[in-house]
Amino acid sequence: MNFYLGIDFGTSGARAVVIDEACIIRAEVEQPFEVSPPEFWVDRWKKALVNLITRLPYELRAEIRAIAINGTSSTVMLCDDGGNVLDIPLLYNDGRGIEVLERLKVIAPPNNIVLSATSSLAKLLWMSEQTFFTQGRYLLHQADYLAYLLHGKLGISDYHNALKLGYDVENLNYPTWLTDLSLMPLLPQVLAPGTPIGEVTPAVAKVLGLENDCVVCAGTTDSIAAFLASGAKKPGEAVTSLGSTLVLKLLSRTRIENSELGIYSHRLGDLWLTGGASNTGGAVLRHFFTDVELASLSSQIKANKSNLDYYPLLKKGDRFPINDPLLPPRLEPRPDSDVEFLHGLLESIARIESRGYELLQQLGADKLTCVYTAGGGAKNAVWTRIRGFYLQVQMLSSIHTAAAYGTALLAKNNY
């Protein structure tokens, strides 16, 4: 029997899902990330990748035909010609690109997605001013790097991850304003997500218990993988990922781009997956409450509306629906009651979600018809009720909530 492996590297942990030809889950393992300094992130990811695969049943591993990996969007690192990471990876929400934003505005066209402090290209420009840059040969996204560890080929990405590098997903090439830059040799070759790249190396096959003909495919981002897993297929259907951050994806016949509002569109077949990502979300909730406390306190929330108006962030800066790297968190006043405080947080995140979908529709995206929910927040029924109050559309549970399942589908459908 043939099996297909999808691996999801999120912000708080990693997960692997194996499906069969009927798209039924045959095995699933996960690993939370321990808190560690940035200089240990790469080693942590490497160990998680090995650990996830080796924890799968041996007899199943021998039948895996294809593997795909997703990572957090715009998490990048610079590697030398031997694939060694030269400095700490810059994560999806790293805003140091603000230092080169004015320089970037001279390079990129107005309203381009790269005109953000957290874009992959902004991060690369920032790297170009650092001492380690002269050793750099390949800019890789998180998913690119992890796939490289399996297939051994440097400098290959997918057009979901490469969007924030400035890759033209409509014409499927790098635009001339980008190819003219001296940075161009560092940019990866871009393939369609799911495209077979190559077989696992013999060494990897031996260590991980995979067959030599197991193929590694081009990956995707975590939020798109969650969309693929959800079951959403028609224009107007959307997926909200309630993970550490808040990610909105609305399937539309119209491509929407507005860098000033943090809005961009991914290509998905003949349609466009338009949306944006906010730095608000589960990470803010977990800053104040444990998972047990969140469940207990949520069950005590009775109303849909509170009297609190927050903008829940852990630090300055948001990307969507307000794209402002200096936007301050608003978490005051904090009431004496934890139930009231959590209610205010949940409702405030729901308002941000609602405003995000309103913006997409105002700019020409298809009318919102229903919202599937993925991520850890999908389990919170009270939060779903509050969100439904603001969104005023049918709220559905994703058929599968694990982004790794969507990535497994990517491996299967393109093998």
Side-chain angles (χ1 to χ4, degrees), residues 98-176:
I98 194 172
E99 298 176 17
V100 296
L101 207 50
E102 292 305 313
R103 178 182 165 194
L104 191 54
K105 288 177 181 177
V106 176
I107 297 170
N111 207 35
N112 193 278
I113 187 175
V114 302
L115 297 175
S116 164
T118 58
S119 76
S120 302
L121 189 58
K123 289 170 179 144
L124 178 58
L125 277 180
W126 180 87
M127 290 178 188
S128 71
E129 299 178 351
Q130 311 309 308
T131 56
F132 62 82
F133 182 76
T134 55
Q135 303 173 62
R137 296 295 178 271
Y138 302 96
L139 182 79
L140 297 180
H141 303 90
Q142 183 183 34
D144 309 338
Y145 177 75
L146 293 165
Y148 152 71
L149 296 177
L150 299 180
H151 59 59
K153 301 178 188 295
L154 282 163
I156 300 176
S157 188
D158 63 89
Y159 62 58
H160 288 160
N161 273 294
L163 180 70
K164 295 180 183 178
L165 264 181
Y167 186 79
D168 185 341
V169 294
E170 193 156 6
N171 296 304
L172 298 179
N173 58 27
Y174 283 112
T176 53

Side-chain angles (χ1 to χ4, degrees), residues 54-262:
T54 54
R55 284 170 58 198
L56 296 170
Y58 182 81
E59 62 277 9
L60 186 150
R61 274 181 273 158
E63 301 295 334
I64 293 174
R65 300 273 66 85
I67 301 171
I69 301 174
N70 75 67
T72 50
S73 176
S74 202
T75 292
V76 294
M77 61 207 80
L78 195 63
C79 297
D80 64 16
D81 53 11
N84 302 299
V85 179
L86 296 173
D87 197 58
I88 64 167
L90 301 186
L91 300 187
Y92 65 97
N93 60 349
D94 193 302
R96 68 188 72 193
I98 194 172
E99 298 176 17
V100 296
L101 207 50
E102 292 305 313
R103 178 182 165 194
L104 191 54
K105 288 177 181 177
V106 176
I107 297 170
N111 207 35
N112 193 278
I113 187 175
V114 302
L115 297 175
S116 164
T118 58
S119 76
S120 302
L121 189 58
K123 289 170 179 144
L124 178 58
L125 277 180
W126 180 87
M127 290 178 188
S128 71
E129 299 178 351
Q130 311 309 308
T131 56
F132 62 82
F133 182 76
T134 55
Q135 303 173 62
R137 296 295 178 271
Y138 302 96
L139 182 79
L140 297 180
H141 303 90
Q142 183 183 34
D144 309 338
Y145 177 75
L146 293 165
Y148 152 71
L149 296 177
L150 299 180
H151 59 59
K153 301 178 188 295
L154 282 163
I156 300 176
S157 188
D158 63 89
Y159 62 58
H160 288 160
N161 273 294
L163 180 70
K164 295 180 183 178
L165 264 181
Y167 186 79
D168 185 341
V169 294
E170 193 156 6
N171 296 304
L172 298 179
N173 58 27
Y174 283 112
T176 53
W177 63 263
L178 198 49
T179 57
D180 290 341
L181 296 181
S182 60
L183 298 172
M184 184 61 200
L186 300 173
L187 302 187
Q189 175 189 356
V190 180
L191 304 176
T195 302
I197 296 174
E199 297 173 346
V200 295
T201 67
V204 166
K206 183 177 181 180
V207 170
L208 300 185
L210 301 168
E211 289 297 305
N212 289 323
D213 62 353
C214 177
V215 171
V216 182
C217 302
T220 184
T221 66
D222 54 348
S223 61
I224 293 182
F227 189 95
L228 295 174
S230 71
K233 295 179 180 178
K234 299 177 182 178
E237 296 183 341
V239 174
T240 295
S241 294
L242 296 174
S244 298
T245 59
L246 173 72
V247 182
L248 310 187
K249 300 288 185 186
L250 173 59
L251 203 53
S252 175
R253 287 164 290 194
T254 305
R255 183 183 182 185
I256 308 297
E257 301 286 336
N258 191 310
S259 64
E260 293 181 357
L261 298 173

Side-chain angles (χ1 to χ4, degrees), residues 286 327 343 395:
R286 285 196 175 92
L327 183 71
H343 189 181
M395 305 296 290

